[in-house]
Amino acid sequence: MPARVLSGTRPTGKLHLGNLLGAIENFKKLQGEDSFFMIADWHALTTEYESHTEIGNLVMEVVTDYLASGLDPKKCTIFIQSEVPEHAELALLLSMITPLGWLQRNPTYKDQLQEIKGKDLNTHGFLGYPVLQAADILLYKAEKVPVGEDQLPHLELTREIARRFNHLYKKEVFPEPQAILTQTPRIPGLDGRKMSKSYDNCIYLSDSAETVTQKVKTMVTDPARKKREDKGHPDVCPVFFHHKLYNQAQVPTVAHECSEALRGCVECKMEMAVKLNEFLDPIRKRREEWLNKKSEIRKILDEGKTRARQVAAKTLAEAMQAAGIRN
Ligand code: TRP
Ligand code: SF4
């Protein structure tokens, strides 16, 4: 039997290179297996509850980005979290057995409370974010969960919740899921920090070739290389990191010419932008095609919902029985 796979993306913005190379590449690799990929719209609402009109539109953007990236609805199930009500129900059930301390100690909770300014995140929903995520994963009894490295604490909490549930109700209802990371969990953004929507340093899958070239021009380089004559250190340069992703054949040349001051940063960036655009072109093409097939996308999501509910309803009934509120 192929492993059960589940993952999800919060529809808080269009997908960027960090999403693609940090996680979605693995969705693609695993999609031949028994795989479910959702759009976590409830999770988006935990932080975006004040901008309620946006989430519905962004859901469609993310589905389009999924399809453009190469997810094939014939090989995997794509669905919207809130259209499968079992997610909310299992989350409620799991919330009964999850100790508050586990959630308050969750490192991503503490970080985000600090980092996200201008939003009131002192809510029940935001504290309970990992409980909902555990429900997402456990509803499908997923064994493999392809995610970015920032999600590792949530996977750990999911395993803890699964263990506690099985132990309390003396039944092995939930298997323990494993995170699956890509080779490149951290992609540098334009400013050299981790590429992230909240840093406004992203290259989006939907950016035009011109926009990508413009953005690459603004990318930071080796800060020690102030003048053209200064020898560079490719290993600290975000542009070089991107060369390694889309311009593998030239990596030794780039490294050599940079460290001997034989190439300037401007030409180096242009070479990288060309390769990056070659990499993004097929994604952009597929994106354009899907933009004209909105009703087909709705059909994919309807079928996805039906397939997901078949699995989810069964697990929910089993969990409610184990917990003793249903016979
Ligand atoms: N929290 C994840 C993120 O921000 C999104 C997510 C929601 C998810 N539910 C999930 C990921 C279940 C994996 C499995 O990226
Ligand atoms: Fe970075 Fe290229 Fe400039 Fe070297 S030459 S510092 S690799 S941009």
Side-chain angles (χ1 to χ4, degrees), residues 99-122:
L100 262 186
W102 291 7
L103 300 174
Q104 286 157 337
R105 277 195 296 274
N106 168 24
T108 40
Y109 176 69
K110 291 198 280 187
D111 288 354
Q112 304 242 52
L113 269 191
Q114 287 264 316
E115 266 187 39
I116 304 184
K117 302 265 181 315
K119 278 180 197 162
D120 182 1
L121 295 180
N122 284 299

mmCIF file of all heavy atoms in Angstrom, residues 99-122:
data_model
loop_
_atom_site.group_PDB
_atom_site.id
_atom_site.type_symbol
_atom_site.label_atom_id
_atom_site.label_comp_id
_atom_site.label_asym_id
_atom_site.label_seq_id
_atom_site.Cartn_x
_atom_site.Cartn_y
_atom_site.Cartn_z
ATOM 1 N N PRO A 99 -3.675 19.598 26.266
ATOM 2 C CA PRO A 99 -3.382 20.489 27.395
ATOM 3 C C PRO A 99 -3.007 21.888 26.918
ATOM 4 O O PRO A 99 -2.258 22.038 25.952
ATOM 5 C CB PRO A 99 -2.170 19.826 28.067
ATOM 6 C CG PRO A 99 -2.156 18.415 27.576
ATOM 7 C CD PRO A 99 -2.760 18.444 26.210
ATOM 8 N N LEU A 100 -3.545 22.894 27.597
ATOM 9 C CA LEU A 100 -3.252 24.288 27.244
ATOM 10 C C LEU A 100 -1.761 24.570 27.202
ATOM 11 O O LEU A 100 -1.276 25.284 26.327
ATOM 12 C CB LEU A 100 -3.875 25.218 28.295
ATOM 13 C CG LEU A 100 -5.211 25.852 27.974
ATOM 14 C CD1 LEU A 100 -5.570 26.841 29.081
ATOM 15 C CD2 LEU A 100 -5.170 26.566 26.629
ATOM 16 N N GLY A 101 -1.026 23.971 28.149
ATOM 17 C CA GLY A 101 0.414 24.230 28.236
ATOM 18 C C GLY A 101 1.138 23.873 26.955
ATOM 19 O O GLY A 101 2.077 24.571 26.551
ATOM 20 N N TRP A 102 0.711 22.785 26.306
ATOM 21 C CA TRP A 102 1.363 22.392 25.050
ATOM 22 C C TRP A 102 1.240 23.507 24.021
ATOM 23 O O TRP A 102 2.152 23.764 23.248
ATOM 24 C CB TRP A 102 0.713 21.131 24.464
ATOM 25 C CG TRP A 102 0.937 19.872 25.234
ATOM 26 C CD1 TRP A 102 1.534 19.748 26.459
ATOM 27 C CD2 TRP A 102 0.563 18.547 24.825
ATOM 28 N NE1 TRP A 102 1.544 18.431 26.836
ATOM 29 C CE2 TRP A 102 0.955 17.674 25.863
ATOM 30 C CE3 TRP A 102 -0.073 18.019 23.704
ATOM 31 C CZ2 TRP A 102 0.739 16.294 25.804
ATOM 32 C CZ3 TRP A 102 -0.287 16.648 23.641
ATOM 33 C CH2 TRP A 102 0.110 15.791 24.675
ATOM 34 N N LEU A 103 0.083 24.141 23.987
ATOM 35 C CA LEU A 103 -0.159 25.186 22.986
ATOM 36 C C LEU A 103 0.573 26.469 23.357
ATOM 37 O O LEU A 103 1.147 27.146 22.507
ATOM 38 C CB LEU A 103 -1.659 25.445 22.852
ATOM 39 C CG LEU A 103 -2.481 24.227 22.426
ATOM 40 C CD1 LEU A 103 -3.972 24.551 22.461
ATOM 41 C CD2 LEU A 103 -2.076 23.750 21.037
ATOM 42 N N GLN A 104 0.579 26.781 24.647
ATOM 43 C CA GLN A 104 1.243 28.014 25.078
ATOM 44 C C GLN A 104 2.753 27.924 24.908
ATOM 45 O O GLN A 104 3.418 28.929 24.686
ATOM 46 C CB GLN A 104 0.892 28.312 26.548
ATOM 47 C CG GLN A 104 -0.539 28.813 26.691
ATOM 48 C CD GLN A 104 -1.114 28.591 28.082
ATOM 49 O OE1 GLN A 104 -0.656 27.710 28.834
ATOM 50 N NE2 GLN A 104 -2.130 29.363 28.434
ATOM 51 N N ARG A 105 3.289 26.701 24.993
ATOM 52 C CA ARG A 105 4.742 26.512 24.836
ATOM 53 C C ARG A 105 5.161 26.367 23.378
ATOM 54 O O ARG A 105 6.351 26.388 23.077
ATOM 55 C CB ARG A 105 5.193 25.252 25.597
ATOM 56 C CG ARG A 105 5.429 25.473 27.074
ATOM 57 C CD ARG A 105 6.195 24.321 27.672
ATOM 58 N NE ARG A 105 5.457 23.066 27.607
ATOM 59 C CZ ARG A 105 4.571 22.671 28.509
ATOM 60 N NH1 ARG A 105 4.322 23.424 29.568
ATOM 61 N NH2 ARG A 105 3.938 21.529 28.386
ATOM 62 N N ASN A 106 4.209 26.211 22.479
ATOM 63 C CA ASN A 106 4.511 26.011 21.053
ATOM 64 C C ASN A 106 5.391 27.158 20.529
ATOM 65 O O ASN A 106 4.981 28.312 20.555
ATOM 66 C CB ASN A 106 3.174 25.946 20.293
ATOM 67 C CG ASN A 106 3.352 26.031 18.789
ATOM 68 O OD1 ASN A 106 4.405 25.707 18.261
ATOM 69 N ND2 ASN A 106 2.302 26.469 18.115
ATOM 70 N N PRO A 107 6.616 26.841 20.070
ATOM 71 C CA PRO A 107 7.530 27.916 19.652
ATOM 72 C C PRO A 107 6.976 28.795 18.531
ATOM 73 O O PRO A 107 7.210 30.004 18.531
ATOM 74 C CB PRO A 107 8.798 27.185 19.188
ATOM 75 C CG PRO A 107 8.463 25.730 19.149
ATOM 76 C CD PRO A 107 7.224 25.514 19.961
ATOM 77 N N THR A 108 6.228 28.220 17.576
ATOM 78 C CA THR A 108 5.714 29.076 16.489
ATOM 79 C C THR A 108 4.670 30.054 17.043
ATOM 80 O O THR A 108 4.561 31.179 16.568
ATOM 81 C CB THR A 108 5.083 28.274 15.335
ATOM 82 O OG1 THR A 108 4.332 27.206 15.863
ATOM 83 C CG2 THR A 108 6.126 27.705 14.403
ATOM 84 N N TYR A 109 3.924 29.650 18.042
ATOM 85 C CA TYR A 109 2.937 30.549 18.659
ATOM 86 C C TYR A 109 3.651 31.739 19.289
ATOM 87 O O TYR A 109 3.308 32.901 19.032
ATOM 88 C CB TYR A 109 2.128 29.781 19.704
ATOM 89 C CG TYR A 109 1.141 30.624 20.478
ATOM 90 C CD1 TYR A 109 0.020 31.162 19.861
ATOM 91 C CD2 TYR A 109 1.329 30.881 21.841
ATOM 92 C CE1 TYR A 109 -0.890 31.927 20.560
ATOM 93 C CE2 TYR A 109 0.428 31.644 22.557
ATOM 94 C CZ TYR A 109 -0.681 32.169 21.917
ATOM 95 O OH TYR A 109 -1.579 32.933 22.615
ATOM 96 N N LYS A 110 4.677 31.440 20.071
ATOM 97 C CA LYS A 110 5.392 32.511 20.774
ATOM 98 C C LYS A 110 6.065 33.452 19.778
ATOM 99 O O LYS A 110 5.995 34.667 19.906
ATOM 100 C CB LYS A 110 6.415 31.910 21.746
ATOM 101 C CG LYS A 110 5.716 31.193 22.923
ATOM 102 C CD LYS A 110 6.640 30.984 24.095
ATOM 103 C CE LYS A 110 7.545 29.789 23.875
ATOM 104 N NZ LYS A 110 8.345 29.454 25.066
ATOM 105 N N ASP A 111 6.708 32.870 18.745
ATOM 106 C CA ASP A 111 7.372 33.697 17.712
ATOM 107 C C ASP A 111 6.387 34.629 17.039
ATOM 108 O O ASP A 111 6.643 35.823 16.891
ATOM 109 C CB ASP A 111 7.989 32.815 16.609
ATOM 110 C CG ASP A 111 9.212 32.083 17.106
ATOM 111 O OD1 ASP A 111 9.627 32.344 18.254
ATOM 112 O OD2 ASP A 111 9.733 31.232 16.348
ATOM 113 N N GLN A 112 5.265 34.051 16.593
ATOM 114 C CA GLN A 112 4.324 34.835 15.794
ATOM 115 C C GLN A 112 3.681 35.939 16.611
ATOM 116 O O GLN A 112 3.450 37.036 16.103
ATOM 117 C CB GLN A 112 3.243 33.924 15.209
ATOM 118 C CG GLN A 112 3.831 32.812 14.394
ATOM 119 C CD GLN A 112 3.395 32.883 12.948
ATOM 120 O OE1 GLN A 112 3.523 33.918 12.316
ATOM 121 N NE2 GLN A 112 2.886 31.790 12.428
ATOM 122 N N LEU A 113 3.381 35.651 17.877
ATOM 123 C CA LEU A 113 2.801 36.684 18.739
ATOM 124 C C LEU A 113 3.740 37.883 18.793
ATOM 125 O O LEU A 113 3.325 39.037 18.790
ATOM 126 C CB LEU A 113 2.600 36.148 20.156
ATOM 127 C CG LEU A 113 1.258 35.502 20.497
ATOM 128 C CD1 LEU A 113 1.158 35.277 22.002
ATOM 129 C CD2 LEU A 113 0.071 36.327 20.013
ATOM 130 N N GLN A 114 5.064 37.576 18.841
ATOM 131 C CA GLN A 114 6.086 38.629 18.877
ATOM 132 C C GLN A 114 6.183 39.345 17.542
ATOM 133 O O GLN A 114 6.250 40.567 17.487
ATOM 134 C CB GLN A 114 7.459 37.971 19.139
ATOM 135 C CG GLN A 114 7.661 37.487 20.534
ATOM 136 C CD GLN A 114 8.398 38.524 21.346
ATOM 137 O OE1 GLN A 114 9.368 39.107 20.875
ATOM 138 N NE2 GLN A 114 7.935 38.786 22.560
ATOM 139 N N GLU A 115 6.233 38.545 16.464
ATOM 140 C CA GLU A 115 6.616 39.079 15.159
ATOM 141 C C GLU A 115 5.498 39.801 14.431
ATOM 142 O O GLU A 115 5.745 40.787 13.754
ATOM 143 C CB GLU A 115 7.133 37.951 14.266
ATOM 144 C CG GLU A 115 8.637 37.814 14.324
ATOM 145 C CD GLU A 115 9.154 36.814 13.322
ATOM 146 O OE1 GLU A 115 8.628 36.775 12.195
ATOM 147 O OE2 GLU A 115 10.071 36.059 13.684
ATOM 148 N N ILE A 116 4.287 39.246 14.497
ATOM 149 C CA ILE A 116 3.212 39.835 13.707
ATOM 150 C C ILE A 116 2.643 41.030 14.453
ATOM 151 O O ILE A 116 2.007 40.906 15.489
ATOM 152 C CB ILE A 116 2.120 38.790 13.386
ATOM 153 C CG1 ILE A 116 2.757 37.588 12.676
ATOM 154 C CG2 ILE A 116 1.023 39.407 12.527
ATOM 155 C CD1 ILE A 116 1.790 36.531 12.221
ATOM 156 N N LYS A 117 2.928 42.208 13.881
ATOM 157 C CA LYS A 117 2.472 43.436 14.530
ATOM 158 C C LYS A 117 1.178 43.904 13.851
ATOM 159 O O LYS A 117 0.903 43.543 12.716
ATOM 160 C CB LYS A 117 3.546 44.525 14.391
ATOM 161 C CG LYS A 117 4.908 44.139 14.969
ATOM 162 C CD LYS A 117 5.050 44.639 16.378
ATOM 163 C CE LYS A 117 6.367 44.347 17.057
ATOM 164 N NZ LYS A 117 6.964 43.066 16.985
ATOM 165 N N GLY A 118 0.405 44.679 14.553
ATOM 166 C CA GLY A 118 -0.773 45.278 13.941
ATOM 167 C C GLY A 118 -1.973 44.354 13.837
ATOM 168 O O GLY A 118 -2.950 44.673 13.189
ATOM 169 N N LYS A 119 -1.867 43.162 14.454
ATOM 170 C CA LYS A 119 -3.012 42.250 14.460
ATOM 171 C C LYS A 119 -3.181 41.740 15.880
ATOM 172 O O LYS A 119 -2.184 41.441 16.540
ATOM 173 C CB LYS A 119 -2.728 41.034 13.570
ATOM 174 C CG LYS A 119 -2.961 41.264 12.118
ATOM 175 C CD LYS A 119 -2.660 40.004 11.329
ATOM 176 C CE LYS A 119 -2.484 40.367 9.866
ATOM 177 N NZ LYS A 119 -1.798 39.339 9.120
ATOM 178 N N ASP A 120 -4.414 41.625 16.302
ATOM 179 C CA ASP A 120 -4.646 41.067 17.632
ATOM 180 C C ASP A 120 -4.745 39.553 17.511
ATOM 181 O O ASP A 120 -5.728 39.023 17.005
ATOM 182 C CB ASP A 120 -5.938 41.645 18.220
ATOM 183 C CG ASP A 120 -6.169 41.113 19.638
ATOM 184 O OD1 ASP A 120 -5.320 40.331 20.129
ATOM 185 O OD2 ASP A 120 -7.194 41.490 20.238
ATOM 186 N N LEU A 121 -3.709 38.870 17.947
ATOM 187 C CA LEU A 121 -3.693 37.415 17.833
ATOM 188 C C LEU A 121 -3.953 36.729 19.169
ATOM 189 O O LEU A 121 -3.690 35.540 19.328
ATOM 190 C CB LEU A 121 -2.358 36.955 17.245
ATOM 191 C CG LEU A 121 -2.116 37.410 15.790
ATOM 192 C CD1 LEU A 121 -0.778 36.916 15.293
ATOM 193 C CD2 LEU A 121 -3.231 36.931 14.871
ATOM 194 N N ASN A 122 -4.438 37.513 20.146
ATOM 195 C CA ASN A 122 -4.778 36.898 21.422
ATOM 196 C C ASN A 122 -6.170 36.282 21.345
ATOM 197 O O ASN A 122 -7.099 36.714 22.033
ATOM 198 C CB ASN A 122 -4.703 37.937 22.540
ATOM 199 C CG ASN A 122 -3.255 38.221 22.882
ATOM 200 O OD1 ASN A 122 -2.520 37.319 23.302
ATOM 201 N ND2 ASN A 122 -2.824 39.449 22.665
#
